[in-house]
């Protein structure tokens, strides 16, 4: 091999080496660009999730405000409504007698959880833990007298994800209670409850939501017994609240920011029955007899249906507009 041929081959090898170096450099640049784009996408995803969470809170706040079907018992029986026994005398120790709630469970015993089983990406153990948390939230929001009578929401709010807790906190003690009444029960001041547990019936079910979400649908009816010195009908002392709330457990740092993980609420619905319109419009519960000057509309269906969690939600309200 002459010197010129050797030199040509060396030049080819040098050119090939330079091409490989340039190709590797281009590959590194492309990889860096892909990584940068991926980081931008990841940052956008987290940001968008936060924005979606904020928008969801605003929409849900509006929906909570729609929990306004108030059926105030007029005292006149509707067609098919049970009548009170001729010899009826109100017994404060048995305030639910002769109402559909008479045989219901007392207080927290009426809030049961579904059997533990795997649901979507959540194991049976995780489902059991989450539904137990939802049960605790229902007890705190509907039965715990710290909130019910004392109007202190801290225990209930402490069970929710930080982001939604921050949105709900300002509603309490500020006149914003009407927008929270789909989630909590608050007894109006000056309307003492009798020293008996509220009666409760209903159920909850668990289903898969989006990635990292378990949806727990709750549908319960709560009956509260008030002092009613001149009661001549059991409904003079009893107030009924039906609450349908979908709680959503969110987990997974790849999708939800840390402050968005935990318990949220989604769909809400329900009504109050045999209730003070004046108190309810302020976000509180009181028996219907407290409305001295308000004329209540006669309910359009029988009394028992308002105690039934499987009945259709009413389209009408018993309170004047």
């Amino acid at each position: 091999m002459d010197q010129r041929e050797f030199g040509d081959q060396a030049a080819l090898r040098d050119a090939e080496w330079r091409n490989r170096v340039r190709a590797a450099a281009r590959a590194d640049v492309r990889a860096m660009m892909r990584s940068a784009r991926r980081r931008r996408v990841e940052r956008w995803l987290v940001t968008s999730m936060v924005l979606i969470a904020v928008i969801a809170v605003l929409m849900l706040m509006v929906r909570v405000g729609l929990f306004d079907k108030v059926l105030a018992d007029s005292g006149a029986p509707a067609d098919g409504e049970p009548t009170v026994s001729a010899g009826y005398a109100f017994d404060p120790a048995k305030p639910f007698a002769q109402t559909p709630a008479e045989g219901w469970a007392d207080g927290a015993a009426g809030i049961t959880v579904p059997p533990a089983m795997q649901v979507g990406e959540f194991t049976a153990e995780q489902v059991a833990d989450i539904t137990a948390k939802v049960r605790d939230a229902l007890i705190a929001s509907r039965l715990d007298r710290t909130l019910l009578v004392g109007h202190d929401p801290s225990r209930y709010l402490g069970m929710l994800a930080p982001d939604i807790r921050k949105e709900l906190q300002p509603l309490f003690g500020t006149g914003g209670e009407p927008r929270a009444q789909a989630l909590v029960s608050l007894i109006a001041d000056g309307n003492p409850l009798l020293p008996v547990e509220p009666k409760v019936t209903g159920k909850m079910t668990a289903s898969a939501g989006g990635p990292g979400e378990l949806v727990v649908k709750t549908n319960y009816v709560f009956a509260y017994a008030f002092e009613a010195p001149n009661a001549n009908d059991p409904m003079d002392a009893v107030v009924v609240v039906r609450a349908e709330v979908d709680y959503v457990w969110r987990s997974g740092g790849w999708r939800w920011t840390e402050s968005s993980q935990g318990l949220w609420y989604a769909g809400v619905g329900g009504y109050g029955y045999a209730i003070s319109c004046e108190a309810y419009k302020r976000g509180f519960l009181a028996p219907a007899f407290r409305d001295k000057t308000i004329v209540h509309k006669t309910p359009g269906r029988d009394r028992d249906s308002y105690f039934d969690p499987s009945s259709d939600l009413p389209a009408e309200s018993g309170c004047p507009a």
Side-chain angles (χ1 to χ4, degrees):
M1 178 182 298
D2 61 24
Q3 187 67 31
R4 185 178 59 187
E5 183 180 358
F6 179 83
D8 290 342
Q9 290 183 357
L12 287 173
R13 285 196 296 271
D14 289 343
E16 183 179 357
W17 179 81
R18 286 195 297 272
N19 288 336
R20 287 180 180 177
V21 170
R22 282 196 293 268
R26 285 196 296 269
D28 289 342
V29 170
R30 286 196 296 269
M32 291 173 63
M33 291 176 66
R34 284 196 300 268
S35 178
R37 283 197 299 270
R38 186 162 53 247
R39 285 195 296 272
R40 286 198 297 272
V41 170
E42 288 169 353
R43 286 197 294 271
W44 178 87
L45 178 62
V46 172
T47 304
S48 68
M49 284 291 119
V50 173
L51 290 174
I52 289 170
V54 171
I55 292 170
V57 168
L58 295 176
M59 292 301 295
L60 292 172
M61 296 305 292
V62 172
R63 295 185 67 184
V64 169
L66 296 178
F67 186 87
D68 59 0
K69 293 295 184 292
V70 183
L71 292 303
D73 191 4
S74 67
D79 291 341
E81 185 170 307
T83 56
V84 180
S85 300
Y88 173 79
F90 179 70
D91 182 356
K94 299 178 180 179
F96 300 104
Q98 296 196 41
T99 76
E102 183 175 10
W104 294 358
D106 293 326
I111 304 177
T112 57
V113 299
M117 63 180 68
Q118 181 168 345
V119 178
E121 64 191 87
F122 292 88
T123 66
E125 291 75 13
Q126 290 172 321
V127 171
D129 180 61
I130 294 166
T131 52
K133 285 181 168 66
V134 171
R135 181 178 184 272
D136 290 342
L138 289 174
I139 293 170
S141 61
R142 299 290 179 182
L143 301 174
D144 185 348
R145 296 205 175 201
T146 302
L147 176 57
L148 194 63
V149 178
H151 304 166
D152 178 0
S154 55
R155 182 185 173 210
Y156 172 63
L157 295 179
M159 298 177 178
L160 305 178
D163 282 344
I164 192 62
R165 183 191 316 151
K166 182 171 62 177
E167 297 296 331
L168 290 175
Q169 178 70 63
L171 299 182
F172 295 91
T174 62
E177 287 83 3
R179 293 195 295 162
Q181 63 189 347
L183 298 173
V184 302
S185 293
L186 301 168
I187 303 302
D189 291 337
N191 292 272
L193 291 170
L194 289 169
V196 297
E197 288 283 342
K199 293 286 189 176
V200 184
T201 191
K203 67 177 182 178
M204 73 171 69
T205 57
S207 61
E213 292 184 339
L214 183 73
V215 179
V216 182
K217 294 182 176 293
T218 70
N219 181 13
Y220 287 90
V221 180
F222 301 86
Y224 303 95
F226 290 78
E227 291 184 8
N230 301 314
N232 52 29
D233 181 289
M235 295 310 299
D236 287 341
V238 175
V239 163
V240 176
V241 172
R242 168 129 169 237
E244 292 187 20
V245 182
D246 294 347
Y247 281 99
V248 181
W249 180 265
R250 289 173 174 161
S251 60
W254 66 272
R255 181 174 176 84
W256 307 106
T257 60
E258 184 176 354
S259 59
S260 288
Q261 296 184 53
L263 195 62
W264 286 68
Y265 64 89
V268 296
Y271 53 79
Y273 173 66
I275 206 164
S276 162
C277 296
E278 190 277 333
Y280 204 73
K281 287 178 180 178
R282 294 186 292 107
F284 297 93
L285 303 178
F289 72 80
R290 292 293 186 181
D291 290 341
K292 302 299 184 182
T293 61
I294 295 177
V295 178
H296 298 157
K297 301 175 186 178
T298 301
R301 59 193 195 191
D302 68 272
R303 176 182 290 176
D304 286 8
S305 68
Y306 298 112
F307 287 79
D308 182 1
S310 66
S311 66
D312 294 335
L313 294 178
E316 80 282 7
S317 174
C319 290

